[in-house]
Amino acid sequence: MSTPIPTAGLPDVDVVCLGEAMVAFRPTAPGPLAAAPSFERGIGGAEANVACALARYGHRTRWAGRVGTDGFGTYLLEALAAHGVDTSAVRRDPARTTGLYFRTAGERATAAAPAREPYAEVAYYRSGSAASAMSPENVAREVAWSGRVLHLTGITAALSAGCLALTRALTARAPGRPLVSFDVNFRAPLWPAAAGGPQTLAALARGCDVVFVGEDEAQDLWGVTGADAVRALLPEPPLLVVKRGAAGATAYTDGTVVAVPAPAVDVVAPVGAGDAFAAGFLSATLRGLPLTARLRHGHLMAASALTAAGDLGEPPARARADALAGLDPGAWGRLRLGPGWEEHTA
């Protein structure tokens, strides 16, 4: 039986990201998984992606979760630490394995956006993983609430009954709760019809402070179309961000609506952009920037993921990102970003 994460002696951080980190394998050549001659290894998992992006952007971040005592667990901890992420709250489970997944370069299809790539496959090997055993009994609230921000996603809630109970406990309003950020991150294969995914994810989102949801996944989940319809469905979060893909993003807060178009991007692989957007937005939030600047930083960080082959792109220097986020509307509208953050303007 695993023991709870110790709460004493943890260093202060800006953001705690709690969820499942996995080892991600990406084919070294285009085509379906069945034809892949070999794979490249990297970090996967929405919350780990956010933690790494924020750490590489200069913020103190902690990833809280569980991995096995296998070599894959060791690799994840070393890779996260190499990105500057604090892993002192991670527990290793000798009875369960570390989650893995294999994916091609294409993004998942949704009802609103069919797959644009000829091969868009994702194969998960995470059932019964170490992370799926997380629960309120073995993850202390003090650990999850040890930063200025706690970032969660709907993926964790889908992993097991214990993970759902933990997510509910951490999003419950109580004294001492930090700012709670929640990315809906709907993954249909993780939510069988009987599991009540749409109702569960809506209920979790309503209890959080900052909520990210894609316009396409809102249509898949709740059958609503358009950012305004998403806000009508989720009026409770003080700050709701509806991501609209290449069209941009719209934020709703305090009766104010702010929409910011996304810059044009020369896409290398459409994977990891949502996690990067959340990291950019949270980074600007931690710095107290205006809402328009927060959305622009989200777009800029998303571009760094879209122009890289893996889930994690190389974020720009903060001074450069600040300069781009401060462009006048006309210059922002002409901005185009390519691989390696090569900048083009029309």
Side-chain angles (χ1 to χ4, degrees):
M1 179 180 297
S2 63
T3 55
I5 297 171
T7 60
L10 289 175
D12 293 334
V13 294
D14 296 318
V15 183
V16 174
C17 298
L18 186 147
E20 179 171 33
M22 296 176 290
V23 180
F25 291 93
R26 179 171 50 86
T28 55
L33 289 177
S38 58
F39 294 86
E40 292 181 349
R41 183 178 62 173
I43 298 172
E47 301 85 1
N49 288 342
V50 172
C52 288
L54 282 168
R56 292 168 73 177
Y57 221 41
H59 298 283
R60 300 166 301 161
T61 63
R62 171 174 298 128
W63 178 70
R66 292 162 59 89
V67 297
T69 55
D70 49 25
F72 288 129
T74 300
Y75 165 75
L76 276 178
L77 293 181
E78 292 176 350
L80 287 165
H83 281 83
V85 176
D86 178 276
T87 59
S88 59
V90 177
R91 298 299 286 174
R92 305 197 69 170
D93 189 333
R96 297 176 178 84
T97 57
T98 303
L100 314 175
Y101 78 100
F102 296 75
R103 70 162 179 83
T104 54
E107 183 57 288
R108 305 169 182 83
T110 67
R116 293 171 294 177
E117 303 292 327
Y119 302 107
E121 298 174 80
V122 181
Y124 289 108
Y125 297 87
R126 69 198 309 180
S127 178
S129 67
S132 71
M134 289 190 296
S135 72
E137 286 69 44
N138 59 31
V139 178
R141 176 178 288 184
E142 291 82 4
V143 170
W145 288 5
S146 60
R148 295 169 57 192
V149 177
L150 169 63
H151 181 69
L152 303 167
T153 80
I155 296 172
T156 303
L159 297 180
S160 67
C163 284
L164 175 56
L166 175 63
T167 308
R168 284 174 169 156
L170 295 179
T171 56
R173 298 195 179 277
R177 192 182 91 163
L179 183 80
V180 175
S181 165
F182 182 74
D183 193 334
V184 171
N185 244 329
F186 176 55
R187 296 290 181 264
L190 297 178
W191 289 99
Q199 297 83 4
T200 299
L201 290 171
L204 290 171
R206 290 181 177 119
C208 297
D209 303 303
V210 180
V211 173
F212 302 94
V213 60
E215 196 173 38
D216 54 352
E217 67 184 344
Q219 182 174 335
D220 284 352
L221 267 171
W222 305 304
V224 298
T225 303
D228 288 347
V230 179
R231 183 52 165 175
L233 181 78
L234 299 174
E236 296 88 354
L239 178 51
L240 173 70
V241 179
V242 181
K243 298 172 292 181
R244 305 176 58 230
T250 303
Y252 297 82
T253 182
D254 298 328
T256 300
V257 181
V258 177
V260 173
V265 178
D266 297 328
V267 176
V268 173
V271 179
D275 302 331
F277 182 96
F281 188 94
L282 291 175
S283 172
T285 299
L286 287 163
R287 297 165 60 199
L289 299 183
L291 195 51
T292 295
R294 298 184 201 184
L295 291 168
R296 285 188 173 187
H297 275 281
H299 288 316
L300 293 170
M301 190 74 85
S304 71
L306 290 169
T307 55
D311 286 18
L312 292 170
E314 183 65 40
R318 182 180 289 184
R320 185 181 179 199
D322 283 342
L324 291 176
L327 291 173
D328 65 70
W332 176 262
R334 295 189 298 272
L335 182 64
R336 185 181 190 93
L337 297 170
W341 254 68
E342 183 181 358
E343 182 182 339
H344 309 278
T345 53

